Each structure stands twice: as structure tokens, then as C-alpha cells.
Amino acid sequence: MTEQDQFEPVIIGFTCNWCSYRAADLAGTARVKYPPNVRLIRLMCSGRLDPTFVMKALASGADGVLITGCHPGECHYIEQNYKALRRYQLLKRVFAQLGIEPQRVKLVWASAAEGVKLAHEITTMVEEVRALGPLHWGASNGREVHDHLPTEDMELPEEAEVMA
Amino acid sequence: MTSEIQTKTSFLHDPSNPNLRFLEEVSAHTAGVSRLEMCIQCGTCGGSCPPAADMDHTPRMLFAMIRAGFREEALSSNTPWICVSCYHCVVRCPQGVHIADVMYTLKSMAIRAKLYQDSTAPDFSRSFVDNIEKYGRSYEFGLATRHYLKHFPLRLPGMAPMGFGMLTKQRMDIMPHKIDNIDQLQAILERAKEVEGLS
Amino acid sequence: MTGPFDSASKSPERIGVYVCHCGTNIAGVVDVAEVRDWTEKRLKGRGVIIARDYKFMCSSLGQEMIEKDIQKLGLTRVVVAACSPHLHEQTFRNACQRGGLNPYLSELVSIREQVSWVHTDKHAATDKAKAVVSGGVERVIKNEPLEPLRVPINEATLVVGGGIAGIQAALEIADAGFPVYLVEREPSIGGHMAQFDKTFPTLDCAACILTPRMVSAGTHRHITLMTWSEVENVSGYVGNFTVTIRKRARYVNTELCTGCGICQEKCPKKVIDQIYEAGMGYRKAVYTPFPQAVPRYPVIDKPNCTYFSKGTCKACEKFCPTNAIDFNQQDELITVQVGNIILATGYDLFNARRIPHYGYGRLANVYTNLEFERLSNAAGPTNGEIVLRDGKTKPKSVGIIHCVGSRDRNYNNYCSAICCMQSLKFAHLVHERTGATVYNFYIDIRTTAKAYDEFYQRVLEEGTLFVRGRVAEVTDAARKPEEEGRLIIQVEDTLAGKQRRIPVDMVILSAGLEPRKDAKETAKLFGISCSADGWYIEKHPKLDPVATMTEGIFIAGCNTGPKDIPNTVSQGAAAAARVLGRIQQKEIFIEPVRASVNQDKCSGCRICNNLCPFNAISFIEDRKVTEINAALCQGCGTCVAACPAGAISGTVFSNEQVLSQIDGLLMLNLEYMKEAPELVAV
Amino acid sequence: MNDKYLYYPGCSMESSAKAYSESLAAICEPIGLHLEEINDWNCCGATEYIGISLTPAYSLITRNLALASLQADGTRTVVAPCSACYLNLAKADYYMQERPILGENVNTALAAGGLHYDPGSLFIRHLLDVIINDIGLDKVKSKVVRPLTGLRVAPYLGCMVPRPDYEHRWSNPEYPNELDRLLKTLGAEVIDFPLKTHCCGGHMTQIGPNTAFELIRRLVSSADQYRAEVMVTLGPMCQMNIDAYQGEMNRHFHTDYRMPIIFFTQLMGLAFGLNAKQLGFGRELVGTREMLQRIGVEAPEPIEAVPAHKPRMKEGLPMPRMPGDEEVN
């Protein structure tokens, strides 16, 4: 058996309270199956997603990060998911510079009625990340993590640029 | 939509149930995703079908038979052979079943199982395909004369004016046309048959 | 921000972890005992002093277990691993509170919807459950004690939509003695029900049962009726919404108008009435949609009025006995304060032209259901005579087609719920009034409510012919002499297994129900969730069907999905009951999910200033710092994420909580990873 | 706009549908259509090969797409004038994406001939679609020198162009308006032909003539009821069945229909002022002499616009109009 065969990626998922977390609930209620590699964190809104959260997750050993929110135009907070979209695009650029494969960070819109869709997206992402193999960026143990953890010291592009 | 179906078809994998195997087999031999398991027996297909009167089962009934595992009955039905590929049923089907393509599947399975009742249609297809495999192009004159001679000899005199007309109007070539790289085409078709498990 | 746990130092907290079996819902897939043992052993260093598992944590015994542990063991934090927080977060917060712990020092993590129900591999599911619990433990350590926000409730209510659902809701609240603003887009309330002749299954006359309700709503001392009006803007939050309503110019002074109708009689301009008459009849340019309209004042339809387009005419003005016509009237913007809002915005009909092979719009004698309602209505364009499009010929045979645009993935996937009963009603009416042969073409007959199937039996007895088969096409292309000049319905009679062509004189299409064309804009205006196709989403489809996920906004009737009249009325009343409950409480508690600015840290960069859609963020010029108004803040957290100085923090979802949870989920909190490295990679 | 289009003629264009081929060649220049034939293309297998086996049939079709890719050179559009060819090419492209295993198998087979095709990399379009949507009716109109005023035509598209329409290129799968709009642009009087996308019998003329004759009869008799002077089509098989088998159909039912059927490109050529012979007139079995005479002379008196059995509503209830509906041209 090769390492690839054994590799089970760990993916941290961020959901918004109103649409995508409910989509995950619905996937459960409807017993739609998906692989157990994803672990979800509930935020109020995808707009709450601080890019640092994504950095932190990858630096701490996650192999991928899934960002989810309401469909554009359906945000519970009117338009905050557009801000998530901008930050996601920014993150993509930063990751490209850091040499991280773009497939490791994925943005998915899922309404509260789209349990099947969310499960499908999770399944696809797990397979994609599995194919990429482990992300040797963070740590194999917790101690090393904090050396890489981006904090406010790290130079992040200004929010003004994010908003642009 | 596709993903939804693919999750669903996995429910069909029940090796203990031979009836479901026929449904799986038909789905596996269909070009796209058949969606046969989605049929709600509403009859839109049978209602839309222009030659329905000549069929021994309406398409809907055929799908019920496939799902019930009535293999022999389904493959010996004349229905797929009567299908004119008009796609009315396909665009009207409320469940998006790929009806016309399932008909093609049933024909090919019936030919393999030698379960068709009347050889007219399979012979016609065979002759048509023989020409293509030989020349790379269809060959209407050879096909029509050979086919009518075999299957409708009594109709030939009636058809003669039409055939004569087609010839004099130069709408039918007496000689077949062959493509340049027929070897390449034949190699492709050979390999395709291997993939299909036919050779 | 700081690292979530600085070292392997022991957390000073005393944490209790409770793992629920949920019967076999969780325990059938997740090894609950193993999760408990693992938690107790491996998370001891993080402050877990007790871990328990129990059959049903949400039961009173389960809740008491937590209460006792808080009191006896002195727990300072609680983590429950069970179902979704959307179901039971409040339950366990209440339990903590009863035990004497601040309710916000608890966390409910989902190992049912996110683990046992979606995974099949028991080993992997158990490992994931451990990670989820670990994430919850790390997060709860960073939770802060909070007090819920108290919001006073304004007693007034806004009801949007004057159909039967809105009328019912408005009357219930007004009868309880509280003020209601009832806003309707059309010139009169009444909605679709006012267009019908009979209602199934009792065949009550729709006008007879609806008109008294309309009149009550129009004259109620607690109801302010605003027709020909639309909501333009909504701001604020539960208990205290500010709503701006555009009251369109009627060009009729309602103070002076007596509703005598002379203007309508004298107006020379005839217009096809696309709304109330469904295109089957005419109205004037100055009109009330129907004689029993509430209010009784007409409106002038500006685009069609000769005076407005050509500058002359003024017939209405000349003949008005009370000088009520006012061509100079302007739209008015009215602002009202309300505590709660009920949306009863109704439905639109599926556009039958989208199915050209059914011939609507091309073949004259193909009618939609709404057209037929007008045709059969005694007050309709033919005075209830059921006739062909020539206006005089009675049909000898009629085909009624069910499921038009419904149960069809080319159009709408869902069942429109009312079409079966409506089609049966039509069959009865045609039979009764014309004696024609009636065919009903159906896929399935769905007559599931009280007295519905009995009505089906009655229609069967009357001799209506039922053909089980979805109609393939309606055509005028005759194949045989007997088909000449008629409409031919081509269908597979699936019970006979044969294709049939049935010539008829009239076809009625039971077109399905669709969300309002502007449903999405309306949802956005009021800040509620809306499915991709445009139906509004209930807070819970079964247990909270008239509430939305937005506090203070309720929904009733067909805007959540197709419904018959009994259900619609029940929902109107239910929404009113929910609102009345709120009003009686005088104030409500809401989640203290709010952002605040640490002004010492604020650099005054103003990046956050434009991020807030609720205008909760303002900049204090003289001190060059930003401030957040807690009453307006909705807690989305976008500004928290955006603040480059880390000056904004949010409660319940703070940076510390989320970052710690990430550590927990990735099992970085286990102090002895060397001992069990394999656990890190689960 | 694309400079050139890759052109897949299909076998019929060289035999039974020569008139189509000739008239298309004649109108290309006036409307500025540049077609480049795919080198050494092969038959698409019509509706026959796919009824025998799956992978060989789709490999046969896809060889043409693979060859087209080699010739693409900046363009991505393959144009087919024949309905069945258009559908087969479009279908292979679509199903190879819908069921990736089919795509893999086909490419395994193509590899034996040194070829490969990436499904989705080419746009498969019908000639009429290109004329309407790329060339545009304004351009067509500007070339009309002999409007077909007064000529009553029945637009007949047959099945396989508007259906199943995987890429949603047509206004409707049952009542598309594209051909009607083109013919109106040429000045013809276009009837609202209810059977415009009904079936001509397809290959049933070969394997079940009685079934086919009934379908042909329905079309011809309906066109006749609507007093069409000519049917106008865009598929070689449709033209052949209705033209060549009309006589046999008449004998079968003891009827005497003489409904000519021609290709839309032939009518375009006439309206552009080209001569009839150059456009392949004379190849049809049901003669078009009368029809040609009608447009050769000054615009004739228009005849009754609606068939006798379809009463015109002047009084009574208004016809339905729904908010948001646009008139279909």
C-alpha cells in the first residue's frame, strides 16, 4: 500500500448559521451520505470569515478548507456573503504565492434546501484533496504550528484591497 | 441533477435481487444516464408517440417491465423497433427519462439475445452498418435495393417509379463512395468492439 | 489575537461533557461509550472533569443530570454532543441556567446531523465524533457569560397582502385589540379567492363567505387599510421595525368619494382586465376590480386613462357628484412603526404558454384554471355561462388537464396541491351547468383532506370520465372527419395501455401555483430566507411553519408553497397567534450575538464603516474612532473579520472561540500526542 | 464573429439531398458564410448504428469530431445541415460528458486510429441556427431582391433539430419560431403549421412502410388543409420521405396529394434572385412548377389567411394574453 492509499485528508468547513449549516442539517435529516473527513464550524454569516481562520486551519494541520454560505442575493444579512466571496478571491491569490494548491480552499453556496448539493460538494472536495495528498505546510504536531500561525504581525493585504 | 441520480442508482446494487439486475444492465448500456428508476408511469411518452398504435407495449409499460425484471418479454417487444426517434417523449417526459436512448439500448440487447420478433429492422440496421464499416459512408442504393428485395419483394414494383425517379434526378449514386482513411476508421471500430466486449 | 491554549498548561475550568445516544440515532453508528471514555481520559488536561453518556440528553432526566452536576461538581462549562444546535441549543442553555450556570457557558455540538446520520463507517464516525467533541471543549473554554438582550415590542403589526391569509391574520390581531396596518398592492383586498365562484369541497360561494370578512377588515377600528400601496423600505429589528409604505396616487379623494360608481359608468376607456378578470373581461380606466371591492373607492389606471395620455376627457371628473376626482394627486410615502410583520403575499399562476403543445394562447378554446373560474363565476364576464371563446356556444364535451406545469422537472417539480380538487370542482360545475361530457386527465388523484375524497366519489357518480394519463398534446390537426374543427386531446390511457385521441370542444388547464414573480425581491426587502425557486423558508417546516428565521417576521398562506383555502386561513390565524403572543409578553429576549468596538484599539481607519448593511456602524469624527450601535447590530460579524486592528470583537462567535475550535477539531489540544499520534490523523 | 465554420455535410448531401447541397453552396457567398469541410469525414451512423452497439456507434460519430478538432485552427463551431447528423454529433458530445465512462471508452477506441476528442471542446450547431443567430436576419433581409410575397409555405423542421436540444439553442422544442422567422424575412406567407416538428417516419419507410405512410399522410394532409403551396424543410431524411414516398403513400391511402417539399436554402436562393436550376430545383419528385410560377410573376392576390375550420374570433371573449408574454415574433 502506498501512502496515497492510506491518506485521509482532514478538511475544516465553515458554515453560515442560516443557509449552509441548515443545509448540513438537512443532509443529516435526509440521511445523505458523505465522507467523514470534513469537520464543520458554525459562524453567523460567511461574512464573519476572517481570512486568518483559513490560514490558521491550514497551518494547524488541515489539508483543506471549505467555505460555505448563502447564495448570492440570499444572504440573511443582505449582502455579507459577497464580502466572503471577495475574501475568498484574495485568499486564493495569497495561497498561490505561498505555493498552496488552489483546490485546497473551496467556496460553495448552499441554501438551506440544498442538503444534497452540500453533501455532493463535500464528497467532491474530499476526493480532490485526497488526490493532492497531505498539505505539508503546517505541522505534524501541535508545537510547530504556532511558528507558522499568521497573526496580526503577518502582512496581509489591506481590507481596503479586499473591498476593492 | 446527475449526482443525485448517481447516488440513487447505488440503491440498485442489490446482488440478491435478479430483477434489479436487468434494470441495471439496461442503464449500463445506455449512452447517457437513463433515469429509468425515475419513471412515474404517467404515460406522457405513450401519449406523445406518433406510431404508438403499432407498438405492442407503450414505452411506459416497457419501463415497468424492465423494472420488474421481465427480461425476455421486454427484449422481444416490437416497441423499440417501431420507435421513430422523434424525441417528443424525451422533451415532454416530466421525469427526464432518456426514453429514445433506452429504445436504442433495448434494440442492441435484443439483437444480442436474438429476441426480436421480426428481422426486418435488425437486418436493415445491420446492412446499413455493414456499408459504413466497409466504406465509411452510407450507400443508399445498395442498401435500399438489397433491403427491399429481401423484405418487401412484392412492393418493389410499386416502389420502382420512386427508385427510378431518384436515379434519374441523380439523387442516388449507383456506386458507393469510400473515405480515404478507411483503415483508420476500421481500426477504431475494431478497438471499440473490444471495449464493448463484442469481439 | 493569542493562541487558544498557550501550552499544555491545565485549563482552570471544570468542564462536563455529555454524549447523547439519541436512542439508536447516534449510538447506532457512533460508539458513544468510547467517545465518553476518550473524552474523560484525553481531555482531562483541558479541564474535563466528567464525561457521561445518556440515552436521551434532551429528556427531563438528561437535563436534570446536567443541573445536578453543575451543582454537585461545580461545573463551570458544559458541552453536549447530540443533535443540531438549531434544535436543542436553547434546551441545554435553559438546563444550565436552572443549574445555576450562565447559559452561554455551554456548547451543543452536532454528532447526529453531522456524524451518525451522514456517515456509515462506524470507526471513522466515532473518530469524527471525538474531534467534534474536542472542538466543542476548546470552544467552550473561550465562551463568555452573557445576558440575553431585552427588546420591547411595539404593539402594532404590519400585514402585507390582503388575500384571505392576510385578512384572517389582520382580523385576529385587531379583534384582540391591537393595531394592524394591512397593505395591499391591488385596489381592493380579497386576493385570488375573490375571483372564484365556488370553493371545494363544500361548493360554498366564495364571495358569500369572503365578502363579510373583507368588510370587517375594511371597517375594523383597529385596522388601517392601505390598498393600491406597496412596502418600499423596512429597517429596524424585532419589536421595533420602521416601515415605509408607498401609497400610490388613486386620483380619487377618498374623503369625498362615496363609491357610487358613476365615474366607472361614464369612463369611455375600456381595458382588458388582466388581473381580476384574468384577461377574460373588461374594466374601465377608472375602476374598482369588482362590485364588492373593499375599499369601495375606485382608482384611475394612469397609463390607460385618456386624460393622462392625451390631456382631454375628464369624463369622470365632470360626472362625479362629490367632486372626488383629483388628477393632481401624488404618491404618498407613509412611515409606520411596528413590532411584528406578517407576510401573506400569495402566489402567481404558472404561465401555461410555456407548454406550447397544450395550445394555450394559440388554440382559442384552451382555458386556464383562473380563466375558467371567471367564466363560471356568476359575476364574471359571461354571468356564469360556460361558453366557448365565441361567447355563445356551449361546449358538448370538455377535457380538464391536471398537473399543468407541476410535477414536471421541465417546469416545477412540486405538486401544486390544489389542482386535483380544483379540477374535480370544475368537472362538477361543467356537468351541472352544461350537461357536457367531462374528461379529467390525471397522473394521480390526491384528495387527502377532510371531505375531499367524498367529493371525488360524488364527481365519479355524476359521470365524469377519468383517464389516467398525463396529456401528451392538445391539437387542432385533425386526422379523421370527426376530429375536424375540434380540439383533440392525445393521451395514453395508462390503465388501458393504449394511446387515445379524444375530441372535445373546450380544454381547461389546471395550471400550477408559482411563487410571486417578485418573491425574491420581497424576501430581500424583509430580510427573510427564500428557496432558489422563490418559496419562503419556514423557521421549521413542521414545528414552526409560520415563523421565519428572521425574528419578528412571520409568513402565512401560499408564499411558502401551494395551499388550499382551509390551510391558508389556518396559517393566517396561526401567524396572528404568534404575533399576539409576542405582543402580550411586551418584550422579548434575543440572542446577545453582537459586535462591539474597543475604542482604545480602533485606529480610525474606517474600513468597517461601509460594511454594515444595517447602518449600525458610525464614525465619531471628533474622536476619530468607530462606534457600533448594539440595537441595530444583527451580529453577522463581517466587521469583526474585517478590522485590521483587531479592535472589533463579537460575542458568541469571537475570534478566540473559533480559533480554539479549530485547534480542538484538529486535536492539537491533546497534550500527549507522542503517545497516540494516530489520533491526530483521524 | 467566427470567420469560418467547420462543415460536416453528411452522406445525404452528396446523394438524395443534392438540392440542399447545391442551394447551400449558392447562398454562402451572398450571406458571407464560410464553410470548411472536415477532411475525410465519415457517416454518422444515422439512427442505425446506435441501435446495434454503444461504443462502436459513438466512436464512429466522434471520429468526425476528433478530425474537426485537428482542423479547428481558431474556430470551435461545427455546422451540420442534416438533422440526424446534427443530433448524432451533438449527442455524442453531450453524453460523453454526462457519462464519463462513455467518453473514456470512445477515446480508447479513437486512440487505435491515433485520434482523441475532448467532449465539450467544440460547439455543434445546425445550419439554420448559424444563419439566424450568427449571420442574422438583417443580413438575410438585405440580400432579398425577389420577395416571396403571397407564397404560402408550411415550415417543417422535423424532429431532430429542435429536440432534444441539449444546449438549449432553440426557442422551443415543439414550436420553435426560427424557421418561421427566416421565411417571413424572405417575404413568404408562413402558416402556423401545427405539425411543424412532428415526425416524417424516419427510417420506417424502410422497415415498416405502413407506419411511415400514416405519418407522411398526417403531415401532407395537414399542410394541405392549411392550403400551403409548399413545405419547407431543413433535413434530408424529412425531404426524402415526404417527397419520394408521397406517391407510394397516395397509392396506399387512395389519395391524391401533391405537396412539394423543398429545402429552406432553396427558398433563400430564390429570394436572393438566383436561378432555380442552380438551386437544385428539378430534383424533387413532387414538382414545384406551380409554386415557382407563383413567385415568378407579380405578387399575386393573397388568399384567405386561415384554414376554413379555424374560425377567426372577432367578437366574444378576448384571446388570452398574460402579463410578461411577448408575442412570438
Side-chain angles (χ1 to χ4, degrees), chain C residues 474-497:
Chain C
V474 178
T475 178
D476 61 343
R479 288 188 200 157
K480 298 180 196 144
E482 66 268 28
E483 294 178 350
E484 292 282 346
R486 308 189 75 188
L487 296 171
I488 304 110
I489 296 177
Q490 190 173 309
V491 63
E492 177 181 347
D493 185 328
T494 59
L495 301 180

Side-chain angles (χ1 to χ4, degrees), chain C residues 272 274 279-282 350-354 356-357 360-364 367 371 375 381-382 387-392 473 475-479 484-485, chain D residues 172-176 192-195 198 214-215 217-218 221-222 225-226 307 309-311 313 315-328:
Chain C
I272 295 180
Q274 296 293 354
M280 292 288 288
Y282 300 88
F350 170 79
N351 179 356
R353 280 205 170 177
R354 291 179 61 199
H357 46 282
Y360 179 71
R362 206 167 48 79
L363 305 173
Y367 292 83
E371 285 181 332
L375 198 61
T382 59
V387 289
L388 300 185
R389 199 77 69 167
D390 65 5
K392 43 185 186 257
E473 62 186 62
T475 178
D476 61 343
R479 288 188 200 157
E484 292 282 346
Chain D
N172 189 278
E174 312 239 6
Y175 286 90
D192 181 15
F193 189 40
L195 305 186
H198 279 227
E214 167 61 17
L215 300 184
R217 186 192 68 82
R218 288 178 197 168
S221 100
S222 178
Q225 274 177 24
Y226 275 82
H309 70 264
K310 206 178 175 185
M313 307 300 168
E315 46 189 33
L317 302 166
M319 270 296 280
R321 272 195 333 199
M322 297 189 63
D325 276 348
E326 314 101 325
E327 275 297 301
V328 179

Side-chain angles (χ1 to χ4, degrees), chain D residues 128-150:
Chain D
L128 178 63
D129 166 22
V130 167
I131 291 179
I132 296 267
N133 295 312
D134 289 5
I135 309 276
L137 290 177
D138 290 341
K139 174 93 179 180
V140 172
K141 195 173 184 133
S142 72
K143 298 292 167 187
V144 173
V145 296
R146 181 164 55 194
L148 309 174
T149 315

